[in-house]
Amino acid sequence: MLLTIDHLNLSFQSYDENSKPIQTQVLHDVSLEVRAGETTALVGESGSGKSVTAFSILRLLEESSSITNTGSIYFDDKNLSDLTLDEMRLIRGNKIAMIFQEPMTSLNPVYSVGSQMVEPLILHQKMNKKEAEKEAIRLLYRTGIDNPENRFRAFPHQLSGGQRQRIIIAMALACKPSLLIADEPTTSLDVTIQAQILELIKDIQAEYEMGVLLITHDLVLVKNSAQHIYIIEKGHIIEHGTTEKLFSAPASEYTKRLLSATWQQPKLEKNSGPTLLTTDDLCCYFDMGSSWDRLLKREKKLIKAVDMVTLKLYQGTTCGVVGESGSGKTTLAMAILKLVNSHGKIIFDGQNLETMSVRRMRPLRRDMQIVFQDPFSSLSPRLTVEEIISEGIRVHMADMTEEQRRALINTTLKEVGLTEDMIMRYPHEFSGGQRQRIAIARALVLKPRFLILDEPTSALDVTIQAQIIELLLSLQKKYNMSYLFISHDLRVVRALADYVVVMQHGQVVESGSAEEIFTSPKKEYTQTLFRAALQDYSTIPH
């Protein structure tokens, strides 16, 4: 047996308002096994304890959190709990590698992608720098990164969420580990890239007899990838067995509910209001050349992340932006909010943002909010949930009393499916899905007129996805908000969007009403994209 977890119990220690310690147990007698050359899946809803189990294997929690645990974790017949931290560092990234759920926080923002990729190759594989660089570029190519030589020199912030995730996967596979822990490895990837990544992992697994612990809420992914499944609910393993057995004859009611959970499309009945946002020939280019290239006045190596994009958003409606990973969706959002340099017209509520200074933009920030793709990197690790959500209130609603502010925060938390007793906890104490709901609460608390949602449901299981979509629809109706909804999940886009913009290589290849785009897409790229995501886009219910 490659990995054996035996009766693992784990609790977090936090403090209440009176600094009294509180023990919160999140894992209860968790036991599971992973065999060499096989894939074992750990499946459960958001907040069930999946990621905490993974972090416990690599002992990543004890240095950042106050925890207590009992039980044992054996890897290659060694009890990992008995190893020193120096001994664990020789195992991490070498014998046991992990693909993290939040790629941005896994990459150092001050170093290029290439310098981070060569580090484990030089450290663990004893390659020289030239060999490591060649191997890193080869891995980038294998994981579907376009133009890998240039991306090798890029910094994390210059890449899309999907591209960052593929880089993390390439780094994890670099040292050919015996065990790969994949924590939601494809949530930020479009369906075409998902298939490539899973096939890549499968190929390397077969080649090196690598064991894989796949942590996910995507049951379709599990059915096609795993030999054994463990179902976890509220920190308890409630059922386990072969994939065939669990899909054909689930024993627990919870497993049956997970397997039968289907995504229901809410009915859309909205009329277009006045124009709220317009972009005209909006462009955002990145110079990928080095400082030496600029010093020697060499030809610029431009990446056209957004190239002549024109779109219109009406008050109270939703514009869906779809496209493969790296197509420019997130950069478009950043440019509209003036968070990256761009040129071209941006008209919001009759005001031209193109020439606005940072000072003049500040009052508009209340009306223009965003929920980022990666909730962990957008939430300060040093602030509690209450402090995170109250930041915007203190700036834009400064006349509120402390009591009013607390009441508004509690109401907003309840709206997004969180509870009042979570306000004193920190982001690292939550699951990926819970962190996403905190990020949504932070944006919604100001009741903005315009909200950008960048993959807001990618980290959520199907049952929570439906709740978030229903929440967004109800809030839009109640407050007449406008959404720019960015996603690779076309089922979610179909439910929310009134209009759809399809992007490829930074350009808009097709746009129109959601009804028109989803029922009769004209461009071959759109047809291919929809076929891959929806199998048959013509059968989508209306």
Side-chain angles (χ1 to χ4, degrees):
M1 196 62 62
L2 183 64
L3 175 75
T4 302
I5 300 177
D6 188 25
H7 297 290
L8 179 64
N9 294 277
L10 187 140
S11 299
F12 284 107
Q13 181 173 298
S14 57
Y15 298 89
D16 63 15
E17 296 177 358
N18 300 317
S19 299
K20 183 180 178 181
I22 302 171
Q23 289 285 341
T24 304
Q25 188 167 352
V26 292
L27 296 182
H28 305 262
D29 282 327
V30 170
S31 297
L32 63 82
E33 296 177 338
V34 180
R35 295 176 175 85
E38 293 187 356
T39 298
T40 296
L42 183 60
V43 181
E45 293 178 299
S46 175
S48 60
K50 306 186 299 293
S51 294
V52 172
T53 303
F55 293 156
S56 298
I57 296 169
L58 287 171
R59 292 174 57 186
L60 295 175
L61 295 171
E62 58 196 66
E63 295 180 65
S64 60
S65 305
S66 179
I67 63 168
T68 56
N69 56 16
T70 60
S72 56
I73 302 173
Y74 284 90
F75 172 73
D76 268 351
D77 297 324
K78 292 180 181 178
N79 190 343
L80 298 182
S81 302
D82 295 336
L83 301 183
T84 65
L85 288 179
D86 285 339
E87 289 171 328
M88 279 301 303
R89 290 187 188 103
L90 294 176
I91 291 177
R92 295 171 185 162
N94 188 22
K95 297 295 184 181
I96 305 177
M98 184 164 179
I99 299 169
F100 291 92
Q101 189 172 358
E102 291 93 7
M104 190 59 179
T105 57
S106 306
L107 294 169
N108 192 319
V110 301
Y111 290 103
S112 68
V113 165
S115 65
Q116 296 180 67
M117 289 192 68
V118 300
E119 184 180 359
L121 292 169
I122 293 173
L123 178 65
H124 295 301
Q125 300 296 304
K126 309 303 179 185
M127 293 183 180
N128 59 44
K129 187 177 180 182
K130 189 173 182 180
E131 291 172 334
E133 288 179 353
K134 185 177 179 180
E135 177 64 12
I137 291 172
R138 186 186 70 83
L139 284 166
L140 288 178
Y141 179 80
R142 285 192 70 185
T143 51
I145 294 285
D146 62 306
N147 201 357
E149 290 82 4
N150 282 345
R151 300 295 186 187
F152 182 83
R153 294 194 295 270
F155 288 84
H157 72 273
Q158 296 175 306
L159 304 173
S160 71
Q163 289 169 329
R164 290 194 291 261
Q165 186 67 294
R166 279 177 275 174
I167 287 163
I168 289 295
I169 292 169
M171 291 173 67
L173 297 175
C175 294
K176 305 176 181 64
S178 302
L179 174 64
L180 176 67
I181 302 172
D183 187 3
E184 302 282 8
T186 60
T187 52
S188 61
L189 305 178
D190 55 83
V191 287
T192 54
I193 302 301
Q194 278 185 13
Q196 294 176 24
I197 293 301
L198 292 174
E199 191 62 34
L200 171 65
I201 293 174
K202 187 177 179 181
D203 288 346
I204 295 178
Q205 180 181 28
E207 186 176 351
Y208 300 109
E209 279 292 298
M210 181 174 67
V212 175
L213 178 61
L214 177 62
I215 296 172
T216 184
H217 59 257
D218 190 335
L219 289 170
V220 175
L221 191 75
V222 169
K223 188 175 183 179
N224 297 331
S225 305
Q227 287 78 48
H228 301 273
I229 299 177
Y230 288 79
I231 305 294
I232 186 169
E233 180 188 21
K234 297 178 181 177
H236 297 266
I237 299 293
I238 61 169
E239 186 173 359
H240 68 92
T242 64
T243 303
E244 182 180 356
K245 178 185 174 183
L246 260 75
F247 273 84
S248 60
S252 71
E253 289 301 318
Y254 179 73
T255 306
K256 291 175 183 177
R257 182 164 66 85
L258 280 182
L259 292 171
S260 64
T262 55
W263 195 85
Q264 298 295 326
Q265 176 191 339
K267 188 170 180 61
L268 293 173
E269 292 181 357
K270 285 184 272 183
N271 297 317
S272 297
T275 302
L276 180 67
L277 174 76
T278 303
T279 70
D280 188 17
D281 292 340
L282 186 62
C283 299
C284 184
Y285 300 159
F286 293 112
D287 184 1
M288 303 302 291
S290 66
S291 55
W292 281 107
D293 292 330
R294 289 186 284 274
L295 183 64
L296 298 174
K297 297 182 179 180
R298 293 172 179 163
E299 184 180 352
K300 289 186 176 182
K301 299 173 182 177
L302 291 179
I303 296 291
K304 296 183 177 181
V306 174
D307 192 16
M308 306 293 284
V309 169
T310 297
L311 62 81
K312 186 177 287 188
L313 179 64
Y314 300 97
Q315 185 70 50
T317 65
T318 299
C319 178
V321 182
V322 301
E324 292 179 300
S325 175
S327 59
K329 305 186 296 294
T330 297
T331 306
L332 171 63
M334 298 297 102
I336 290 172
L337 293 177
K338 295 198 67 179
L339 297 177
V340 294
N341 292 328
S342 63
H343 58 89
K345 285 187 178 179
I346 308 169
I347 310 295
F348 177 74
D349 197 23
Q351 301 179 73
N352 189 348
L353 307 186
E354 185 182 7
T355 57
M356 272 196 183
S357 65
V358 173
R359 185 171 175 271
R360 288 183 61 201
M361 274 292 298
R362 191 168 291 124
L364 290 176
R365 296 294 183 194
R366 175 176 177 177
D367 287 330
M368 305 173 71
Q369 289 289 305
I370 183 169
V371 176
F372 292 96
Q373 181 176 7
D374 185 348
F376 196 58
S377 64
S378 67
L379 301 175
S380 173
R382 300 186 178 211
L383 300 181
T384 63
V385 170
E386 181 182 24
E387 291 169 331
I388 287 168
I389 297 176
S390 67
E391 276 188 306
I393 302 174
R394 293 180 188 279
V395 173
H396 297 290
M397 303 177 182
D399 56 342
M400 265 195 178
T401 65
E402 193 68 34
E403 185 178 339
Q404 290 172 326
R405 186 159 48 240
R406 175 66 68 86
L408 179 58
I409 291 170
N410 289 339
T411 300
T412 306
L413 285 175
K414 187 176 180 180
E415 281 186 316
V416 299
L418 299 174
T419 56
E420 295 180 13
D421 59 357
M422 295 179 174
I423 62 173
M424 299 306 294
R425 291 166 62 184
Y426 291 85
H428 71 271
E429 298 179 65
F430 294 91
S431 70
Q434 288 171 322
R435 286 195 287 263
Q436 190 66 288
R437 278 177 274 175
I438 294 167
I440 292 172
R442 178 178 59 181
L444 291 179
V445 74
L446 297 175
K447 302 299 183 289
R449 297 176 63 195
F450 172 52
L451 181 61
I452 294 177
L453 298 146
D454 189 2
E455 302 278 9
T457 60
S458 64
L460 306 179
D461 54 84
V462 68
T463 54
I464 304 300
Q465 270 189 10
Q467 295 173 22
I468 294 297
I469 296 305
E470 289 171 8
L471 168 68
L472 292 171
L473 286 168
S474 65
L475 289 169
Q476 184 175 54
K477 183 178 180 180
K478 184 176 181 179
Y479 299 108
N480 200 31
M481 284 192 291
S482 302
Y483 296 149
L484 187 71
F485 191 87
I486 297 169
S487 182
H488 62 260
D489 190 333
L490 297 180
R491 295 167 300 170
V492 177
V493 173
R494 180 66 185 92
L496 271 173
D498 304 287
Y499 308 92
V500 174
V501 171
V502 183
M503 292 188 69
Q504 182 186 29
H505 303 317
Q507 297 181 326
V508 174
V509 297
E510 189 167 0
S511 63
S513 70
E515 190 76 15
E516 177 187 354
I517 296 295
F518 275 89
T519 55
S520 54
K522 296 179 176 59
K523 300 294 183 180
E524 184 179 348
Y525 173 76
T526 309
Q527 294 170 3
T528 303
L529 186 68
F530 284 16
R531 232 180 257 118
L534 302 167
Q535 302 303 319
D536 183 2
Y537 56 79
S538 64
T539 63
I540 301 169
H542 306 293

